[in-house]
């Protein structure tokens, strides 16, 4: 689970981007999210280059910024020439503050309020509607271009909560209603610019994307034909997974690009769709493995059944293990070569579900050790909360010398908005 040059053992301690995790924990305190800027760039370039090498038209990589909206992370991707997938007014505003021009932002909200629609339109982002009445409200808000999120009847994902296509999903306009949606949009005076889908998250098998892309192209073809629409972009969504567990095979991006672009190109040809931009929306793939969550061991507790390492990060800091049963690899950064034992890694939240890892083999853990939780860059800080009245943690970016990109909250911050 180490990655040479990124996360590796140096002089007996774990390091990220060449910086010792124990020193980082000492300097900035814990719990602490630490992100490597280089790794964000590498991930972005790897997937963009693979898709560009296959597709002859334009490629737009919309970073699904719900994964991590820190402005410093957004700025890296802005400089790389990326685009944004935003789901809320806050995300649109974050992207703008990070320097993205409105034409690089696609807003895909769900259950969108009228106020939010107005805010997004006022900021100039393109709206991807999720329902028929969304079109009316977009027109009322003074919107111009539009895209429609289609439910292509196909879904996939690492957990039921993360499957966003198919019969049980709340998202999108059912594919049978697509033509009607575009006709309605045009009648309302809106200009169709794109079509979109997103089938789910955490998909490691490129073959899962192919039937969805095929379906999408068929729907796009019908819309082009029957509603007389020419697409500027066709967006195949995000969902590209990463190997969280040791032994899991990473997605082969070249293979992914080859399969997906072949289905895309074949669809364009078969349905006479011209050469629109191929848009995609990776979130996790770009940022998950860029970040470690560092946490300090407060106590080691033996029961007749388990050994618990009690740490200062809980599901208030990293929700994924408690919410989805997700696996995050845990290193003992202070003792990477110690004798391996079996531990539960328990957070400070007063709930028994607050375990970052269960029955996990980890080199000997001692009070005061620094543990590093891997792959915490996506849906980590973004899903953190103040539950149990614990202030939010700090975030550090390594781009040269490590620097805070978000200060740790103080106790006072907990009371700031209470009246
Ligand atoms: N595009 C749309 C429209 C989405 O709804 C999402 C994720 C993405 C792109 C990016 O998906 P990704 O490439 O990151 O899989 N909190 C969950 C993930 C929820 C994702 C929701 N939508 C987790 O921690 O696994």
């Amino acid at each position: 689970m180490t990655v040479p040059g990124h996360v590796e053992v140096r002089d007996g301690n774990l390091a990220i981007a060449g910086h010792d995790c124990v020193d980082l924990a000492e300097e900035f305190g814990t719990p602490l999210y630490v992100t490597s800027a280089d790794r964000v760039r590498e991930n972005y370039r790897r997937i963009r280059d693979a898709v560009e090498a296959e597709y002859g038209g334009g490629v737009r990589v919309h970073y699904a910024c719900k994964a991590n909206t820190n402005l410093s992370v957004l700025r890296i991707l802005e400089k790389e020439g990326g685009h944004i997938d935003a789901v809320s007014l806050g995300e649109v505003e974050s992207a703008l503050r990070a320097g993205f021009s409105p034409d690089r932002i696609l807003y895909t909200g769900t259950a969108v309020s009228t106020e939010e629609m107005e805010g997004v339109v006022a900021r100039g982002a393109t709206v991807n509607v999720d329902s028929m009445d969304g079109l009316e409200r977009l027109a009322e808000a003074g919107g111009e271009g539009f895209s429609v999120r289609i439910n292509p009847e196909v879904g996939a994902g690492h957990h039921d909560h993360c499957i966003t296509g198919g019969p049980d999903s709340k998202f999108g306009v059912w594919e049978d209603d697509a033509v009607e949606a575009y006709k309605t949009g045009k009648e309302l005076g809106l200009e169709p610019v794109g079509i979109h889908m997103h089938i789910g998250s955490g998909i490691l098998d490129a073959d899962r994307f192919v039937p969805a892309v095929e379906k999408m192209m068929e729907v796009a073809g019908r819309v082009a034909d029957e509603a007389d629409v020419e697409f500027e972009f066709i967006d195949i969504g995000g969902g590209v997974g990463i190997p969280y567990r040791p032994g899991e095979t990473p997605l082969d991006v070249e293979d992914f690009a080859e399969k997906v672009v072949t289905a895309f190109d074949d669809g364009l040809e078969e349905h006479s769709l011209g050469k629109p931009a191929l848009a995609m929306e990776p979130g996790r793939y770009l940022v998950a493995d860029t970040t470690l969550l560092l946490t300090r061991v407060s106590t080691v507790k033996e029961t007749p059944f388990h050994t618990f390492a009690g740490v200062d990060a809980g599901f208030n800091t990293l929700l994924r293990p408690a919410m989805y049963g997700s696996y995050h690899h845990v290193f003992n950064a202070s003792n990477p070569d110690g004798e391996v034992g079996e531990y539960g890694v328990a957070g400070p939240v007063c709930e028994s579900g607050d375990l970052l890892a269960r029955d996990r083999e980890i080199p000997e853990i001692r009070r005061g050790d620094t543990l590093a939780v891997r792959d915490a860059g996506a849906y980590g800080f973004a899903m953190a909360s103040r539950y149990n009245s614990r202030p939010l943690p700090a975030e550090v970016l390594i781009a040269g010398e490590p620097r805070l990109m978000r200060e740790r909250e103080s106790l006072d911050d907990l009371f700031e908005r209470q009246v």
Side-chain angles (χ1 to χ4, degrees):
M1 293 303 280
T2 52
V3 178
H6 173 40
V7 173
E8 59 192 346
V9 177
R10 282 197 182 184
D11 307 323
N13 280 347
L14 191 76
I16 174 166
H19 293 270
D20 187 303
C21 291
V22 177
D23 292 346
L24 288 166
E26 195 64 45
E27 182 178 350
F28 296 99
T30 54
L32 183 73
Y33 280 99
V34 185
T35 298
S36 157
D38 282 347
R39 190 69 180 173
V40 177
R41 274 182 219 107
E42 277 166 35
N43 290 344
Y44 175 84
R45 290 177 189 173
R46 190 184 318 111
I47 197 158
R48 180 205 57 194
D49 291 353
V51 178
E52 271 184 1
E54 292 290 334
Y55 186 55
V59 173
R60 298 184 190 170
V61 180
H62 287 255
Y63 167 49
C65 69
K66 59 180 77 67
N68 185 332
T69 39
N70 191 294
L71 293 177
S72 303
V73 171
L74 290 171
R75 277 198 196 108
I76 296 169
L77 293 165
E78 193 282 317
K79 291 210 177 71
E80 288 294 303
H83 293 237
I84 286 290
D85 159 42
V87 292
S88 69
L89 191 54
E91 288 189 358
V92 170
E93 184 64 24
S94 301
L96 291 171
R97 288 188 191 203
F100 286 89
S101 51
D103 58 315
R104 286 158 76 193
I105 306 174
L106 181 65
Y107 165 83
T108 301
T110 188
V112 180
S113 70
T114 299
E115 296 71 37
E116 178 142 316
M117 187 70 92
E118 287 167 357
V120 171
V121 169
R123 283 165 179 78
T126 302
V127 173
N128 185 32
V129 299
D130 186 60
S131 64
M132 287 292 200
D133 71 5
L135 289 163
E136 281 160 40
R137 287 185 298 128
L138 175 59
E140 279 160 21
E144 289 164 13
F146 77 100
S147 154
V148 178
R149 177 175 187 163
I150 303 297
N151 181 338
E153 295 185 14
V154 185
H158 70 86
H159 187 281
D160 277 355
H161 292 357
C162 300
I163 298 175
T164 52
D168 297 322
S169 170
K170 68 171 181 172
F171 294 102
V173 169
W174 195 253
E175 57 101 358
D176 286 341
D177 299 326
V179 170
E180 185 58 29
Y182 282 87
K183 284 185 175 164
T184 305
K186 287 175 74 174
E187 280 160 19
L188 288 164
L190 298 166
E191 191 204 342
V193 290
I195 187 164
H196 170 278
M197 70 166 183
H198 170 73
I199 58 169
S201 266
I203 307 165
L204 277 170
D205 177 1
D207 292 323
R208 302 299 296 269
F209 290 98
V210 172
V213 172
E214 286 169 353
K215 183 74 189 202
M216 170 86 171
M217 302 314 282
E218 186 200 312
V219 178
R222 241 188 292 139
V223 170
D225 203 26
E226 295 173 36
D228 190 22
V229 167
E230 205 176 310
F231 293 110
E232 205 180 285
F233 68 85
I234 297 183
D235 188 330
I236 63 168
V240 179
I242 63 135
Y244 284 98
R245 287 175 191 269
E248 250 173 357
T249 318
L251 181 111
D252 175 344
V253 271
E254 271 86 29
D255 177 59
F256 163 83
E258 204 254 323
K259 286 178 171 152
V260 163
V261 173
T262 301
F264 195 85
D265 265 335
D266 289 352
L268 292 181
E269 205 180 302
E270 190 181 335
H271 305 289
S272 313
L273 286 162
K275 208 75 183 161
L278 188 167
M280 56 186 300
E281 302 178 343
R284 183 186 327 265
Y285 185 84
L286 300 187
V287 293
D289 77 354
T290 64
T291 302
L292 296 176
L293 167 62
L294 304 184
T295 180
R296 190 80 55 81
V297 178
S298 322
T299 174
V300 179
K301 185 190 286 188
E302 306 260 359
T303 76
F305 311 101
H306 299 279
T307 305
F308 291 107
V311 297
D312 59 10
F315 76 62
N316 56 320
T317 326
L318 178 67
L319 182 60
R320 303 190 73 256
M323 178 130 173
Y324 313 114
S326 302
Y327 181 100
H328 281 264
H329 197 70
V330 178
F331 295 100
N332 186 346
S334 305
N335 191 21
D337 301 318
E339 196 181 322
V340 170
E342 198 177 272
Y343 296 91
V345 179
V349 174
C350 276
E351 293 203 24
S352 24
D354 185 28
L355 287 170
L356 294 176
R358 290 172 193 268
D359 305 327
R360 188 72 68 75
E361 302 214 319
I362 300 172
E364 188 195 0
I365 300 181
R366 306 150 306 183
R367 188 153 67 87
D369 280 355
T370 298
L371 306 188
V373 183
R374 263 216 67 152
D375 303 321
Y379 311 109
F381 186 94
M383 292 176 81
S385 75
R386 290 170 167 176
Y387 184 44
N388 277 197
S389 292
R390 293 186 191 280
L392 290 169
E395 294 180 288
V396 159
L397 183 73
I398 305 181
E401 280 310 300
R403 282 218 220 124
L404 278 181
M405 58 174 171
R406 184 192 306 264
E407 288 176 0
R408 185 177 303 287
E409 283 191 351
S410 68
L411 278 184
D412 283 341
D413 291 322
L414 301 179
F415 308 103
E416 220 174 27
R417 294 283 165 169
Q418 296 190 45
V419 291

